[in-house]
Amino acid sequence: MKTFLETPVEFLKGVGPKRAELLKKEVDIHTFGDLISYYPFRYVDRSRIYKIKEIEPDLAYVQLRGTITQVRIIGEKRARRMSAIFRDNTGEIELVWFQGIKWIEGTLLPNVEYIVFGKPTVFNRRYNIAHPEVERAADFDRTIAQTLQGIYSTTEKLKNRGLASKNLVKLLKELVLQSQGKIPENLPEEIRSKLSLICREEALRHIHFPEDQKKLQKAQARLKFEELFFIQLSLLKGKIIRQQKINGFVFASVGEYVNRFYRENLPFILTEAQKRVIKEIRKDLGSRKQMNRLLQGDVGSGKTMVALMSMLIAADNGYQSCLMAPTEILAIQHFNTLTRMTAGLGVRIDLLTGSTPASKRRELHEQLQAGELHILIGTHALIEDPVLFKNLGLVIIDEQHRFGVAQRARMWSKSDNPPHVLVMTATPIPRTLAMTLYGDLDISVIDELPPGRKPVKTLLYTDSARLRIFGFMKKKIQEGRQIYIVYPLIKESETMDLKHLADGYESIVRDFPPPEYAVSIVHGKMRPADKDYEMQRFVKNQTQIMVSTTVIEVGVDVPNASVMIIENAERFGLSQLHQLRGRVGRGADQSFCILITGEKVTTEARKRLQTMVETNDGFRIAEADLQLRGPGDLQGTKQSGILDLKIADIIRDEKILKYARNLANDILNEDPLLELDKNKPLARQLDKMKKDHVNWGLIS
Ligand code: ADP
Ligand code: MG
């Protein structure tokens, strides 16, 4: 039998089948439960009565008190509308109706005081209010002091079918009335009293119809907590179940590979952060648990070393590892770096990418199955063509600065005998977001850069400063430094972009002619072999300037390059800009990032660029990014629906989130499967969430 909240929404008075269909399509409201959790996105104070002369353009809603002096019907056919003049003792304003004229016409009387509520807009340099709510002042005064009224988001289609915000208010009034005594509590009494949270039914009533600001805050606090708490509970419970079911490979000890590497090959002293993170990983690998760890570390923080040490631990215990990079360039670079670093140790490393020839591929497969290779480095070709290992013990996924990493990681951990998984990302994800997105992964953070790094200086210029910038470049090249110039790439017109890039390249070559200068160019449409050739020339300092699209965005490491120039910087997102800037500032020299923009830049783009100039801190940039774009826009989150939060705000409600996570942890520590009586409501709610297909544990 359906519970009250599961009742289809068409059975609510005022809805019916047609509107129900629309509610489903437009705003995903299917049941009473869906409708009652469709919360206002803001509130207007209905205790405030404005004077007409106080109206100004920024006001979203006003409430006026006055009388109607004149009602006329004007215009023909589609332009037909009813207009009324409404006045108080400070002035007059026009009220307009385009629909429902017949119905409203007879109800507006002269010499009667009305309360009018609506959104003023400017038309012909005068204010009017279209489709206002009109109520007799006498009735208004009699109703219980309802001070705050919810405003609900709707769509054009809904509005056209009589489901504007004010109509939703009516529906919700009916629903809230009917729901009395029918809304089950889903938080145990113990938690509620500890946090002094009001009960669910009361919260739902006050979120829609708050009597005052205080009641509204109580309702918000309760519902935000509930939302975040159940996400965390579900994620953490999923993790516990996974760990109980899965036995991880045990890498019990470190051996010769690690020890010799540390003694003989270590090229620098590890930072404290690197040491700490390696320790965390070692602990995971030595336990019976299967590791599922996210390693966050800003660009240049030295994640590669952590990856290498982890893979050496695997090798010491007789297991193979693979390291997956998002681009071929990066895979090749990793291959070169790791081969160099492990020289003389007898660790066998090889490379597999999309352009590995079939014969070499076959050979690799054989060696992997025979267990002759310790470490395989590659691109997603590793997944696409199923590579068989003798005993794969560790998978490392590098620099996929997309949220897809989590999906990837989960894919690996779904097999019957899953390897340990380490996901490395340079995208600084705000902690709150990480907790929500990756709540079931453990997180390690490298929060320290190798010593001696000078923060990159970031400068903002428009096109007109080009000559000065060229002068600066020549000076830097004279000092022996190298330079990147990056052009944006927008998918919609790839040919245009390439032309842009080619033009840029030509103009650079004109100003930096051979034989004095040598310029490289790299873009996504090049053959991998050509790309690699050009990259290598730059790496070896045979070319001083590298002109490219964002293919160099990820992971390329040329410490001698100290200038990053970004063309059309306004067209890049914040995290991309930050990634690009991370390509420089790796050597001992002062590095520069020069952002060049067109003359016209939107306010939002300006904020992005300003943020870049102001800070080098990846976490601050990530937070600014989140604030500017909203979590829904972050790559990968929309499709996954994972941030489809109804009321909580991932930035503003960080405290609640942390609290919710700790509490969920405590509860699961005591009662991992939620079997105790007091936790029954929690188990029920999780079941319900599963039924509603909100499966936080498995995004893919
Ligand atoms: P990312 O975290 O961006 O992958 P890398 O692993 O590429 O960073 O490291 C960036 C640069 O810093 C490399 O040139 C690397 O050799 C160097 N590096 C890493 N760790 C240290 C350290 N502890 N001391 C000095 N240099 C380091
Ligand atoms: Mg890296």
Side-chain angles (χ1 to χ4, degrees):
M1 209 196 72
K2 282 193 175 14
T3 63
F4 174 76
L5 290 177
E6 286 165 354
T7 316
V9 71
E10 65 174 285
F11 295 115
L12 184 67
K13 205 172 113 198
V15 180
K18 280 224 178 86
R19 284 182 166 177
E21 201 50 44
L22 216 54
L23 283 171
K24 274 179 218 170
K25 269 216 200 93
E26 294 287 301
V27 280
D28 208 23
I29 292 177
H30 300 254
T31 61
F32 283 10
D34 294 337
L35 181 58
I36 211 161
S37 14
Y38 194 71
Y39 308 133
F41 68 93
R42 49 190 228 93
Y43 298 83
V44 291
D45 187 351
R46 297 222 44 180
S47 66
R48 167 98 152 87
I49 306 265
Y50 283 81
K51 294 290 180 196
I52 287 174
K53 73 161 197 276
E54 289 177 305
I55 296 176
E56 32 170 306
D58 289 345
L59 287 174
Y61 290 88
V62 292
Q63 183 164 251
L64 306 165
R65 190 179 190 115
T67 52
I68 285 170
T69 58
Q70 185 195 65
V71 181
R72 300 179 295 157
I73 298 211
I74 39 187
E76 292 289 324
K77 298 213 171 118
R78 303 200 76 209
R80 193 175 125 94
R81 62 196 188 275
M82 185 171 84
S83 152
I85 301 300
F86 182 79
R87 74 167 61 208
D88 65 12
N89 54 13
T90 69
E92 59 179 46
I93 186 171
E94 188 188 9
L95 310 178
V96 198
W97 288 265
F98 301 94
Q99 274 148 18
I101 296 176
K102 214 167 30 185
W103 183 77
I104 200 123
E105 195 181 0
T107 66
L108 299 177
L109 306 172
N111 302 320
V112 172
E113 219 186 358
Y114 287 105
I115 300 291
V116 161
F117 174 79
K119 182 175 167 44
T121 47
V122 181
F123 183 72
N124 276 345
R125 273 177 291 142
R126 287 178 49 194
Y127 286 108
N128 70 50
I129 301 178
H131 287 262
E133 281 177 52
V134 180
E135 187 180 7
R136 284 186 188 227
D139 294 339
F140 177 84
D141 293 341
R142 259 203 308 276
T143 51
I144 24 160
Q146 197 215 19
T147 56
L148 294 167
Q149 177 168 317
I151 305 292
Y152 297 84
S153 66
T154 73
T155 64
E156 267 324 294
K157 278 199 181 128
L158 287 176
K159 276 185 208 157
N160 292 340
R161 295 290 199 81
L163 287 170
S165 174
K166 63 180 179 192
N167 309 104
L168 289 173
V169 171
K170 272 189 205 140
L171 295 183
L172 276 155
K173 219 169 228 167
E174 175 65 29
L175 183 60
V176 167
L177 204 71
Q178 282 189 30
S179 69
Q180 275 179 42
K182 293 181 190 143
I183 295 187
E185 179 55 61
N186 56 12
L187 290 174
E189 175 56 35
E190 197 184 316
I191 296 182
R192 275 186 28 212
S193 65
K194 194 158 95 190
L195 301 177
S196 36
L197 297 174
I198 58 174
C199 77
R200 189 144 186 259
E201 183 168 321
E202 198 182 341
L204 288 172
R205 187 166 73 240
H206 288 307
I207 202 73
H208 293 290
F209 303 104
E211 283 157 23
D212 54 42
Q213 202 67 42
K214 233 195 181 127
K215 290 241 163 75
L216 175 61
Q217 273 161 12
K218 285 238 153 209
Q220 284 170 332
R222 145 86 211 204
L223 294 172
K224 283 177 175 188
F225 175 81
E226 175 187 322
E227 180 164 50
L228 295 171
F229 173 72
F230 280 112
I231 293 172
Q232 291 302 322
L233 194 67
S234 152
L235 282 169
L236 293 172
K237 183 154 172 278
K239 180 170 151 190
I240 288 176
I241 290 173
R242 231 190 4 252
Q243 285 175 350
Q244 281 183 344
K245 275 211 291 237
I246 295 171
N247 272 334
F249 300 122
V250 184
F251 299 175
S253 57
V254 303
E256 271 306 282
Y257 289 128
V258 171
N259 287 333
R260 277 192 56 210
F261 171 76
Y262 212 84
R263 269 199 321 267
E264 299 163 23
N265 288 36
L266 196 68
F268 36 66
I269 299 168
L270 299 181
T271 63
E272 288 308 309
Q274 281 170 321
K275 283 187 203 159
R276 188 188 64 237
V277 166
I278 291 169
K279 213 184 265 170
E280 286 167 357
I281 291 170
R282 251 192 76 181
K283 202 169 145 217
D284 276 5
L285 297 178
S287 72
R288 291 225 138 261
K289 284 190 280 184
Q290 181 234 351
M291 177 171 78
N292 257 300
R293 191 169 278 280
L294 178 75
L295 172 58
Q296 275 186 277
D298 217 336
V299 264
S301 62
K303 295 185 291 295
T304 315
M305 179 52 72
V306 174
L308 174 60
M309 298 277 295
S310 309
M311 294 193 290
L312 290 179
I313 295 175
D316 269 339
N317 288 274
Y319 286 93
Q320 294 168 299
S321 315
C322 78
L323 171 58
M324 228 165 62
T327 65
E328 186 151 3
I329 290 182
L330 190 58
I332 292 169
Q333 182 182 301
H334 274 324
F335 175 69
N336 293 335
T337 308
L338 297 191
T339 309
R340 196 180 61 234
M341 281 205 206
T342 54
L345 297 183
V347 182
R348 294 206 43 203
I349 305 180
D350 219 320
L351 178 69
L352 175 67
T353 69
S355 49
T356 306
S359 55
K360 166 84 181 173
R361 199 173 280 245
R362 263 197 308 279
E363 191 187 315
L364 273 177
H365 283 198
E366 274 163 27
Q367 291 175 345
L368 282 168
Q369 285 188 48
E372 289 164 16
L373 276 185
H374 297 107
I375 295 174
L376 181 66
I377 296 172
T379 53
H380 52 265
L382 282 183
I383 301 187
E384 276 156 16
D385 107 58
V387 180
L388 288 179
F389 291 80
K390 181 165 177 236
N391 55 356
L392 179 64
L394 171 65
V395 173
I396 302 183
I397 304 170
D398 184 28
E399 297 275 12
Q400 187 94 23
H401 74 278
R402 316 229 148 86
F403 294 117
V405 285
Q407 275 120 302
R408 270 304 141 80
R410 285 173 188 126
M411 193 190 79
W412 284 97
S413 49
K414 260 191 237 166
S415 66
D416 280 346
N417 209 351
H420 297 289
V421 178
L422 178 67
V423 177
M424 307 200 294
T425 173
T427 309
I429 304 156
R431 290 195 63 80
T432 47
L433 190 56
M435 268 187 227
T436 317
L437 277 175
Y438 303 135
D440 57 339
L441 304 187
D442 293 309
I443 298 179
S444 288
V445 182
I446 306 186
D447 49 7
E448 176 188 8
L449 292 179
R453 296 269 173 86
K454 293 198 187 90
V456 180
K457 278 205 178 111
T458 302
L459 309 162
L460 186 56
Y461 288 110
T462 57
D463 271 327
S464 53
R466 198 164 293 275
L467 278 182
R468 268 175 63 202
I469 294 169
F470 281 180
F472 177 75
M473 288 166 65
K474 289 194 170 143
K475 185 167 150 266
K476 283 291 147 191
I477 291 173
Q478 220 155 38
E479 292 169 10
R481 300 284 84 78
Q482 289 166 282
I483 296 171
Y484 295 104
I485 305 181
V486 177
Y487 285 83
L489 192 84
I490 321 137
K491 284 263 157 46
E492 294 95 76
S493 68
E494 229 162 340
T495 37
M496 277 292 293
D497 288 335
L498 285 178
K499 177 158 182 336
H500 209 129
L501 180 76
D503 290 351
Y505 173 71
E506 270 171 32
S507 99
I508 289 293
V509 173
R510 231 176 291 132
D511 278 271
F512 296 82
E516 200 181 346
Y517 301 98
V519 183
S520 279
I521 178 167
V522 167
H523 57 79
K525 278 279 182 287
M526 276 162 85
R527 291 214 332 261
D530 297 341
K531 234 191 293 190
D532 187 41
Y533 173 76
E534 283 298 319
M535 266 326 287
Q536 287 311 320
R537 289 205 320 147
F538 189 67
V539 170
K540 291 183 192 135
N541 202 357
Q542 291 163 351
T543 60
Q544 296 93 44
I545 301 177
M546 160 67 75
V547 176
S548 83
T549 54
T550 47
V551 290
I552 62 140
E553 181 185 334
V554 189
V556 175
D557 187 26
V558 182
N560 190 47
S562 71
V563 181
M564 165 63 67
I565 297 177
I566 305 177
E567 294 277 356
N568 290 112
E570 73 275 16
R571 303 222 302 228
F572 290 87
L574 255 179
S575 84
Q576 248 185 337
L577 290 171
H578 180 65
Q579 290 280 333
L580 286 169
R581 179 169 59 185
R583 297 306 112 221
V584 295
R586 297 178 164 225
D589 248 53
Q590 175 64 56
S591 289
F592 297 87
C593 174
I594 299 178
L595 306 171
I596 305 182
T597 71
E599 300 294 336
K600 273 195 195 141
V601 174
T602 63
T603 331
E604 217 193 280
R606 187 155 299 284
K607 275 191 198 147
R608 285 200 297 272
L609 298 168
Q610 215 50 52
T611 305
M612 286 297 292
V613 172
E614 276 162 22
T615 183
N616 278 302
D617 180 338
F619 282 90
R620 273 192 55 201
I621 288 173
E623 254 152 37
D625 200 24
L626 199 57
Q627 249 146 10
L628 281 172
R629 295 196 294 169
D633 276 353
L634 289 182
Q635 228 162 14
T637 57
K638 210 163 221 162
Q639 304 91 296
S640 68
I642 195 146
L643 284 178
D644 201 7
L645 297 176
K646 284 189 159 59
I647 187 164
D649 176 312
I650 208 131
I651 301 169
R652 259 171 276 160
D653 299 324
E654 181 171 359
K655 271 205 195 114
I656 303 181
L657 174 59
K658 278 188 186 149
Y659 195 93
R661 184 174 175 84
N662 288 339
L663 187 66
N665 233 331
D666 292 347
I667 290 173
L668 290 168
N669 275 339
E670 186 195 27
D671 181 16
L673 299 175
L674 300 178
E675 290 162 327
L676 295 180
D677 257 358
K678 64 174 180 184
N679 291 331
K680 282 274 149 62
L682 302 178
R684 265 200 305 275
Q685 178 70 21
L686 290 190
D687 279 347
K688 191 180 163 309
M689 281 163 69
K690 220 177 247 153
K691 227 166 66 190
D692 293 348
H693 304 292
V694 187
N695 191 345
W696 300 96
L698 271 175
I699 315 177
S700 44

